[in-house]
Amino acid sequence: MLRRTTALTASFFVLTTISACAVGQGGGGKQFEPSGSQEAVDPALKVDTPKNLKGITDACQLLTPEQLNQLGTSEPEIEPSTNPQYQEPSCDISSDALKITIDINTEHGGMTAANARASNFENFEATEVDGYPAAQVNAAGNLCTILTGVADDQSIEIYYAKNSGGTPEMEEPCGYAKKITAEALKNIPTA
């Protein structure tokens, strides 16, 4: 009797494990991937004053004409688009002096998710922009991207490249990208 109980228990365990694997595969071979909002937030990257990007359908709204003028763009070309990676609003701004791309990320996590992907970037250095957790990535020569967590599950990415002319301040790409990011943060509504 003891042998039969042990054999039944072992069989039940194997069947349960196989069934769980089949359910986990969704029948179509897809693995469940948790969204950024479900992952644990690193306490060091927690956003104290969250903002909400979800209602923004045009990333170009994040820099006003006055701000663009202050940032040194004269007669910029402004092109709203969709970021191919996130499938969310994006904006390309270019002038003789610089190029800016603004990407909104509301579906793929905040800075905890960005830090988890740190090895995907050429370089990754943690920083802060106006009290928000951030990282400067892919900095090289005259360009830099700043990733900034505006909520625990949302971020904004500002790509900056110096073209020609402009002010001496524009020569330090990550510093200038942080300045652009600080201006954009002013136009994101609080959560």
Side-chain angles (χ1 to χ4, degrees), residues 62-126:
L62 295 180
L63 290 174
T64 67
E66 294 80 22
Q67 288 171 313
L68 288 170
N69 189 42
Q70 291 171 359
L71 290 168
T73 61
S74 58
E75 301 179 24
E77 292 180 31
I78 302 172
E79 227 180 285
S81 61
T82 299
N83 175 299
Q85 179 182 1
Y86 301 133
Q87 295 300 306
E88 296 197 64
S90 183
C91 182
D92 292 315
I93 302 166
S94 57
S95 72
D96 290 339
L98 54 83
K99 176 174 179 17
I100 300 167
T101 299
I102 303 170
D103 288 323
I104 291 176
N105 173 8
T106 65
E107 300 294 327
H108 302 280
M111 287 308 297
T112 297
N115 277 0
R117 297 186 322 264
S119 63
N120 294 350
F121 300 103
E122 291 293 319
N123 47 61
F124 186 100
E125 183 179 326

